[in-house]
Amino acid sequence: MALQKKATLLVKNIGQLITMEGPSPRIGAAMNDLSLIENGGIAVAGEEILAVGKSDEVQGHVALAEGCRVFDAKGAVVTPGLIDPHTHPVFSMTREAEFEMRNQGKTYMEIARSGGGIRASVRDLRTTPAAVLMEKTKQRLDRLMSFGVTTIEAKSGYGLSTESEIKQLEIIRDLNQVHPIDLVPTFLGAHEIPDEYRDKKDQYIELICDEMIPAVVKDKLAEFSDIFCEKGVFEIEDSRTIQQAAADAGLKLKFHADELASVGGAELAAEMKAISADHLVYASDAGINAMAKSGTAAVLLPGTTFSLGSHGYAPARKMIDKGVVVALSTDCNPGSSYTESLPFMISLASLQLKMTAAEALSAVTVNAAYALDRAGQIGQLKVGLPADLVIWEMTDYRELPYHYAVNLVSAVIKKGKPVASA
Ligand code: NIG
Ligand code: FE
């Protein structure tokens, strides 16, 4: 049967076409199911997927539009465009001195308490012109895309005043309009207590609830509200207050939970029906069980453990076995994890979280889509969905974690258009 629409782009001779068709998200053993088609082909019409199947069948069914781009994958692997569900990409100043201090024995919290850390980034962001921040953020998006990423979540959190939080969210909004990567905006006014509220945390919480959240919602600048729920930062009761205000204002919830200590963040995220709780290195068994029950996704960030030089990796196996939706992300930020390489997270997930390559691929496609409340809309190669895909320089997908710290992307296609290549 010939299809009515003509193909504007065709990828043929795909050795392993990983479609991820089927359940979205993937839970438990289903994370190993990639819906893989050998000798596959995929046709695209405009921004959408037109046909997926065996290469010869797709070629037989589809008429090519004039000027159709044809990629011969020559036996290579094709996956959905990768989704990074947790990034802090809007900053100018980098913090390499802190990285070195940590490697010489100081802890992340010691540096933060002595005026470094997030507060140092805040001081810098407030005085950096928006145009400079925009350019630096764009460079990070370009680099993410070069590693196969086609959608990210992007947080504010380095402004910590109404004006500077809005400044970041407007940069995210503006870049979403001009850059091929899709950005999902998250308000993170509760990332830290800024210098001027150091001994007045309650007043800062009031500012977040009474001024920042309404301002962000009024201008539709964020879809999610996130919080650094941690010992010595926003404790459980603070987090409940702020996130309840955000939920009441119509924002969906995310949490930085149990990153450095076990404080009950996973339990709170589940209780508040958050879309995701992220980090979870020290999540309790009760918290993991509660997340499985509430359907709150666990976004694991092994790059943070790696870059903090710590040995605490999140208990991914336990989470998968208990039925939690597990996703992976870079946590790209200037403090605890400065990287744009989601494929390197797949290597760390294999080595340190003991996930299979297939589980890790589920975690950066269908499960990452779920962690952005976009299950069934992205992260799969299925007729009618956006044509976001990556052609890799490998013939077996298990090379992705194994051939580590190099870029194996051959081409990235976003909404039907080639946007990056090796
Ligand atoms: O996810 N822990 C809080 N936020 C980031 C770090 C941000 C920073 O240090 O600038 C994180 O680890
Ligand atoms: Fe983070």
Side-chain angles (χ1 to χ4, degrees), residues 218-271:
K218 180 174 140 289
D219 289 343
K220 296 193 174 56
L221 287 169
E223 184 174 329
F224 290 94
S225 168
D226 193 355
I227 188 161
F228 190 17
C229 174
E230 192 66 51
K231 198 161 166 243
V233 192
F234 295 98
E235 312 278 345
I236 289 291
E237 282 316 312
D238 305 330
S239 303
R240 196 194 302 276
T241 303
I242 294 169
Q243 293 291 62
Q244 193 57 54
D248 291 345
L251 297 173
K252 293 178 266 189
L253 304 183
K254 288 181 163 285
F255 284 77
H256 280 66
D258 303 320
E259 174 182 356
L260 305 169
S262 184
V263 297
E267 287 90 327
L268 181 65
E271 176 198 314

Side-chain angles (χ1 to χ4, degrees), residues 86-88 155 158 188 191 226 256 259 278-279 301 304 331-333 336:
H86 181 138
T87 80
H88 307 247
K155 303 176 195 294
Y158 292 125
L188 180 53
H191 198 189
D226 193 355
H256 280 66
E259 174 182 356
D278 305 20
H279 286 290
L301 310 160
T304 307
D331 194 16
C332 177
N333 77 75
S336 63

Side-chain angles (χ1 to χ4, degrees), residues 17 33 45 58-59 77 79-80 102 125 131 181 208-209 214 242 248 253 286-287 297 310 332 334 351 389 408:
L17 172 55
D33 173 16
V58 169
Q59 286 171 263
V77 173
T79 66
R102 284 203 305 273
L125 183 131
I181 286 197
I208 295 175
C209 296
I242 294 169
D248 291 345
L253 304 183
S310 147
C332 177
L351 284 162
L389 52 116
L408 295 166

Side-chain angles (χ1 to χ4, degrees), residues 314-357:
R317 281 262 56 92
K318 194 189 272 181
M319 292 173 180
I320 293 171
D321 294 346
K322 294 206 177 247
V324 177
V325 176
V326 170
L328 285 166
S329 163
T330 58
D331 194 16
C332 177
N333 77 75
S336 63
S337 181
Y338 192 21
T339 182
E340 292 93 346
S341 177
L342 197 49
F344 186 55
M345 300 307 111
I346 294 176
S347 293
L348 289 178
S350 298
L351 284 162
Q352 304 291 352
L353 306 184
K354 305 300 171 197
M355 289 167 69
T356 64

Side-chain angles (χ1 to χ4, degrees), residues 111-188:
I111 295 168
R113 298 282 76 97
S114 62
I118 295 167
R119 285 200 185 98
S121 288
V122 169
R123 288 192 288 274
D124 181 72
L125 183 131
R126 287 178 176 179
T127 54
T128 304
V132 174
L133 287 166
M134 183 99 173
E135 186 49 35
K136 299 253 186 189
T137 309
K138 184 191 163 297
Q139 287 167 8
R140 287 180 198 113
L141 299 185
D142 289 344
R143 203 172 285 132
L144 279 155
M145 198 162 70
S146 77
F147 282 112
V149 174
T150 51
T151 301
I152 67 167
E153 182 257 16
K155 303 176 195 294
S156 63
Y158 292 125
L160 311 190
S161 67
T162 307
E163 185 196 348
S164 299
E165 283 298 299
I166 285 179
K167 173 172 157 186
Q168 285 166 93
L169 290 168
E170 287 178 345
I171 288 169
I172 293 168
R173 176 197 64 197
D174 293 350
L175 281 169
N176 191 33
Q177 268 150 26
V178 296
H179 199 279
I181 286 197
D182 283 321
L183 293 96
V184 177
T186 294
F187 166 65
L188 180 53

Side-chain angles (χ1 to χ4, degrees), residues 71 100 130 391 402:
F71 288 81
E100 191 159 87
I391 307 176
Y402 160 64

